[in-house]
Amino acid sequence: MSTLSLRGIVRQFGPLRVIHGIDLDIAQGEFVVFVGPSGCGKSTLLRIIAGLDQPNGGQITIDGRDVTGTRAAERGLAMVFQSYALYPHMTVRQNLAFGLENQRMAKEEVARRVAEAARMLQIEHLLARKPGQLSGGQRQRVAIGRTVTREPGIFLFDEPLSNLDAELRVQMRVELTALHKRLQATMIYVTHDQTEAMTMADRIVVLRAGRIEQQGSPLELYNRPANKFVAGFIGSPRMNFLDGQAVGGRSVAFEGLPNLDIPAARETTEGEAVTLGVRPEHLAFTDGAGLPGTVDIVEQMGGESYIYVTLANEARLTVRRPGQTQLHAGEPVRVAIDGAAHLFGRGDDEHAITPRRLP
Amino acid sequence: MSTLGRLIDAPFEALQRRLGAARMPYVFVAPNLLVFGIFVAAPMILNVWYAVTGGTQLMPAERPFVGASNFGELLDCDQFGVIASCRQDRFWRAVANTAWFVPFQVIGLVAVSLVTALILNRRMAWRGFFRAVFFYPVLLSPVVVALIWKWVLQPDGVLNALIVAGGGARVPFLLDPSWAFSWTVVISIWAHMGFYTLILLAGLQAIPADLYEAAEMDGTPHARVFWRITLPLLMPNMVVVLVLGLIRAVQSFDEIFVLTGGGPGTATQYIVQYIYETAFANQTHILGLAAAASILVGGVLMVLTMLQLAATAWSKR
């Protein structure tokens, strides 16, 4: 178990800067997930922490020790690669033992750790096989087992579940969370999948274009996104956005639609361009005042329903309702806010304008 | 479709209507099969006929059948292991020379190609240029290779000029049997290594980079990375290099023949030169002996290749 601290980490490839001075502290035993779209720098940042890539500027400390510029092996970390990176010509047992043999560890200790990891990950029956004879999920376990045997200060995961099918992904997610609880280890996990981030993280770090957009617990990010990007990235289906203008410090006007009263509009100036953000589960259908539109498509999930609505001004909304809806495509509806509404500025940063819950 | 396309398609479509789609593949392999038949299969069959017939006649029909007597003559020795006691001592001299030449050449070739491939696989400036430089000799005609090296090695050649300029005495590189033998090994490696380097380089590039990163995270020392990761994963390519290199080494002829003519004496006369001279260059063309010798060489090569493949299959288990 280790702590990690990044100070002003910068990475550039030629003239292209991909990491712009990142500061981050990770506490002992914390499960931190780096999430962001492709090219946001999350994998690069992980590789810099691992020591597989060197930053052009900044400082990395592990347990208070400056490790910037030291070799990967000297940092006491272990990594699960997206491709698993198992040695194809070695058996599972040899794969698990390889890193330990490098350290000239006593044979009995190597055997003990391999057996322990195999038992923990339920791969004891696979020890004599080679990676080519394993399924994707089994390979994934071996890759995790290889890091477990090392007993590292920090576990690093680089999109480890992206090559698995949906069902296995859910299962491995649960197992990884259980592994974290059991080992009480510091873990850093990179993914582009916000569901993985929401379900596994103690803390999510949302990255975009080499900068941290926001960090916090999954529900903090979900309930109080700092800007439109985070609001749109966290949550599935995605948050709905409607562009409008603040009116009278009380409501927001939309082209071709009735005005909506939004408490956060108190923080706006008259006529300010704003974006209203409402999560699909915070919208409902009403007989009274609401935004008029027509149902486009209905997706029945069984336990809940997704209703895609085109509003009178051609804007589109996704509404998520519990249970099974009776609505049909083509039906006229009125949509009202039934929960939290967020207002975002329309400047460069599209920052949140003090989001408040509606009464 | 272009006019040219229609022009090409029309006869094939007509043919397919006549033959049916299932037989069309044979139409496409036919040209290559024809060339293979005329230049490979037919000579091989003819060669067997020459090996079991005697005399000096060229036309197969005019040659008397002699059974295995050509093989008998080649293998006929009074004393086991004593070349001078054999009826065809020149054959055994060539076999002995080849048996010396092949291991030196093949081991040297594999080692040099591997080291070169490892170096060229690293990130370095001018990598493309160096890859071209090492491949360049492969593009040269064997005769050109021989003439270049003759120019370097002859008594008043470039190398001796450098030695003399440095205050040394001339070395008879091509006139001393040991020197001449060594240079045939070196030149043969130089001329062919580019091709094998390319095969190994392709193999190195096929090894996923993240395996090396995993090894780096594991703190694996460089030597151990080479022995435990690079080499095992390069094995399939190494086997290809070994098998092809071995066959090529036994077949060595052209550049060495032009460089030394097999000399001094018979110091650099290898088996293919013996076959060539027996069949075509000596005053009497003893085609039967030459054909029998080439079948023996082919048999030995086949056995060696199968042994290597079996060893590889075994090591993969």
Side-chain angles (χ1 to χ4, degrees), chain A residues 283-338:
Chain A
L283 288 174
F285 298 106
T286 170
D287 296 329
L291 305 172
T294 316
V295 175
D296 262 341
I297 296 169
V298 175
E299 285 179 354
Q300 300 276 14
M301 310 300 283
E304 57 185 4
S305 313
Y306 300 154
I307 303 109
Y308 299 91
V309 176
T310 302
L311 296 178
N313 68 348
E314 298 299 314
R316 291 175 165 221
L317 293 179
T318 308
V319 182
R320 174 187 196 166
R321 299 306 303 165
Q324 299 169 5
T325 180
Q326 302 302 316
L327 288 167
H328 294 288
E331 222 170 300
V333 287
R334 282 183 172 274
V335 183
I337 296 171
D338 177 25

Side-chain angles (χ1 to χ4, degrees), chain A residues 25 31 46 81 99 137 141 170 200 233 263 294 306 314 346 349:
Chain A
D25 290 293
F31 196 131
L46 192 75
F81 292 81
R141 280 169 208 271
V170 174
M200 298 165 76
F233 197 82
T294 316
Y306 300 154
E314 298 299 314
R346 293 252 286 279
D349 59 350

